[in-house]
Amino acid sequence: MANYYDIDDILVEEEFVPLVFHKAVNGVKVDESIEKSYIAQGSKLELPFWLAHELHLRQAVSISAPACFNQKTRLEIQADAACVDLRSRCLYFYKFGCKLAPLCDKTIGFLLAYAFGLRYKEVLHKAHTVAFTAASKFLSRLTKEETNLYEAAQSSMMSFKKWRMGGPRLHRAAILGRKRKVDE
Amino acid sequence: MAGQSDCQLSVFSPEEIEFVAEDELVEIVPNLRMDSLNFICGDYGPFYPQIATQVPLWLAVALKKRGKCTIRPPQWMSIENLTQVLEGERDSHAFQPLPFHYVEISRLLFDHARDDIPDIYMVRSLIEDIRDVRFHKVETNLEKFTASSVTCKNMSAMEVNIIRAFAGRALEAFYKHENEQQVPDTDGIQDRQLQIPNDRPKRNLKPR
């Protein structure tokens, strides 16, 4: 695990990936509904990335690209990257892609760079101009990484506008406003 | 840091940038007699009525609030200069040279020394226009971002601060994806591949 204390990193690795077992494994029950307690060689399963990654390092499985990087998504991104609803496919599209690329499909790297390059411009325009309420539909298409970017821009723009409008220059610390509680 | 809204998102709040800008020098004309003031940042004064002198902006504002001086608006805040700058901004792609803290200085002067600036409405609207044109330019610059080349000359403190968080993150992402492309990480994986238990060198122990 690259970043032990990063909650996003942990969540990324929860994503399921399809894989094929190269070895028969005994004494393992991946699916509760199945009676047998072993996995035959060549069986196909979906496991979380963190587990698949460890198995891959031990050369027990081979990982194939999950649904969010399939041909259909690729074609949609090529057609108009800005309009693709990446959030519904995978919340951590870019991070997940970066982790997957060296394990199963090198071309994911190109796909990510291409998609980000185009979608970045869209985020840029919306973040600095459009009012927050109008952007909600657009926001629902963004992945977590893009949302972070959007919120960074929005918040610095908001604080600048607040500063420009003026207002009290000195603020009372939150703790001073409290009333003392009287003990019974 | 005090006054900071969110330590994750923006490194400086606009209030902090304003605080930094208050160290810029302005010319004042005092109407009192006072010995020179000795601060850590330097000595200012002595002050004689009707003799102009240079002081930091925060001191000028403090004296102005007490009615002890008039502030002379800086050279660049004249209508002729600002019109020229605005035209330059509209005509060319590059940013025109303006003081690094022009947004903050102008706002402080508009707030506290409105009677000292001739044609304040004109000056104010010119500066607003310049700021809008420049920020639009900042956005078009951001559009051209790639991981390898970023050049922006003559950007002011506030303009930099507005895009600081966004641009930092965007560049980070660009850098990451660009690297991902160029170095397909095959060797790293091979090295990290754990050894299969069977291949592990066995200890040669004497048979009992």
Side-chain angles (χ1 to χ4, degrees):
Chain A
M1 198 177 280
N3 210 340
Y4 189 79
Y5 291 106
D6 184 2
I7 183 69
D8 287 332
D9 204 74
I10 296 169
L11 290 174
V12 176
E13 303 208 335
E14 288 284 292
E15 293 282 339
F16 278 76
V17 289
L19 41 82
V20 179
F21 272 81
H22 292 320
K23 291 176 179 171
V25 187
N26 273 327
V28 188
K29 210 173 195 180
V30 177
D31 195 346
E32 282 298 320
S33 62
I34 300 173
E35 290 284 305
K36 59 192 180 185
S37 63
Y38 72 94
I39 299 167
Q41 189 173 1
S43 56
K44 290 173 183 172
L45 275 175
E46 290 219 331
L47 289 179
F49 178 81
W50 57 268
L51 185 54
H53 183 56
E54 287 300 316
L55 290 172
H56 182 78
L57 287 182
R58 288 167 176 77
Q59 293 171 345
V61 297
S62 67
I63 300 176
S64 53
C68 55
F69 297 104
N70 62 11
Q71 197 58 31
K72 187 164 168 272
T73 313
R74 279 168 200 242
L75 287 176
E76 276 180 42
I77 286 174
Q78 273 167 28
D80 189 354
C83 291
V84 185
D85 182 0
L86 288 183
R87 194 190 188 86
S88 67
R89 307 206 181 183
C90 177
L91 185 57
Y92 296 94
F93 186 77
Y94 298 103
K95 269 195 178 184
F96 191 42
C98 285
K99 280 177 186 283
L100 265 179
L103 299 184
C104 67
D105 189 355
K106 303 280 185 312
T107 58
I108 288 178
F110 292 98
L111 179 75
L112 292 181
Y114 179 76
F116 184 75
L118 288 175
R119 290 168 69 89
Y120 160 78
K121 283 179 190 166
E122 195 71 12
V123 175
L124 168 69
H125 287 302
K126 294 269 163 47
H128 290 108
T129 50
V130 180
F132 187 74
T133 45
S136 60
K137 196 182 161 196
F138 156 78
L139 268 180
S140 68
R141 289 202 300 264
L142 296 184
T143 69
K144 184 78 179 171
E145 298 91 338
E146 289 161 346
T147 317
N148 282 343
L149 207 57
Y150 177 86
E151 273 164 8
Q154 193 88 44
S155 85
S156 45
M157 200 63 188
M158 289 306 259
S159 59
F160 168 69
K161 280 188 178 149
K162 215 169 92 188
W163 171 80
R164 192 164 59 100
M165 289 304 143
R169 290 191 67 206
L170 299 176
H171 299 275
R172 187 163 65 168
I175 197 165
L176 294 178
R178 274 188 222 147
K179 275 189 181 170
R180 200 183 296 162
K181 275 184 187 162
V182 184
D183 290 327
E184 296 278 312
Chain B
M1 269 191 238
Q4 195 169 307
S5 50
D6 192 338
C7 59
Q8 285 290 309
L9 288 178
S10 61
V11 187
F12 295 111
S13 66
E15 288 80 10
E16 283 165 336
I17 302 284
E18 183 190 281
F19 180 80
V20 174
E22 283 177 343
D23 279 343
E24 296 284 311
L25 293 182
V26 288
E27 207 172 48
I28 60 163
V29 181
N31 55 17
L32 82 168
R33 185 182 292 269
M34 188 163 65
D35 287 340
S36 61
L37 298 165
N38 306 317
F39 300 129
I40 294 173
C41 57
D43 300 338
Y44 300 102
F47 302 94
Y48 300 109
Q50 304 311 318
I51 306 289
T53 179
Q54 299 257 336
V55 292
L57 190 52
W58 61 266
L59 182 58
V61 169
L63 288 174
K64 176 75 192 172
K65 273 186 188 164
R66 287 159 183 74
K68 303 291 187 204
C69 74
T70 54
I71 299 177
R72 283 203 181 153
Q75 291 283 315
W76 56 269
M77 252 171 120
S78 66
I79 289 184
E80 301 87 65
N81 184 43
L82 288 176
T83 331
Q84 211 178 332
V85 169
L86 182 59
E87 276 169 13
E89 293 287 356
R90 282 186 177 149
D91 290 343
S92 87
H93 244 14
F95 293 100
Q96 300 298 308
L98 269 177
F100 187 53
H101 288 291
Y102 84 100
V103 184
E104 303 89 303
I105 293 174
S106 60
R107 204 208 119 180
L108 280 169
L109 291 185
F110 292 147
D111 279 2
H112 300 290
R114 40 178 59 238
D115 47 335
D116 292 342
I117 304 167
D119 304 311
I120 181 162
Y121 287 106
M122 191 68 186
V123 172
R124 182 191 282 248
S125 73
L126 274 171
I127 287 184
E128 293 274 301
D129 285 352
I130 290 173
R131 218 201 49 235
D132 286 345
V133 175
R134 281 172 71 109
F135 195 74
H136 182 74
K137 234 184 257 185
V138 171
E139 258 180 53
T140 40
N141 272 358
L142 281 178
E143 213 173 293
K144 295 181 205 132
F145 255 20
T146 51
S148 50
S149 69
V150 180
T151 39
C152 300
K153 221 179 143 192
N154 281 336
M155 268 174 78
S156 79
M158 199 51 94
E159 286 154 0
V160 172
N161 195 53
I162 290 175
I163 62 161
R164 189 192 304 271
F166 177 81
R169 283 169 185 218
L171 280 179
E172 219 168 74
F174 271 122
Y175 178 74
K176 199 171 107 187
H177 291 310
E178 209 117 309
N179 271 21
E180 199 80 15
Q181 263 184 23
Q182 280 165 5
V183 194
D185 193 10
T186 40
D187 302 333
I189 293 299
Q190 289 301 327
D191 290 343
R192 276 166 51 213
Q193 209 132 41
L194 299 183
Q195 278 189 333
I196 304 163
N198 295 348
D199 300 339
R200 197 176 290 159
K202 292 188 177 81
R203 279 186 291 176
N204 291 321
L205 296 179
K206 273 181 203 166
R208 277 183 198 171

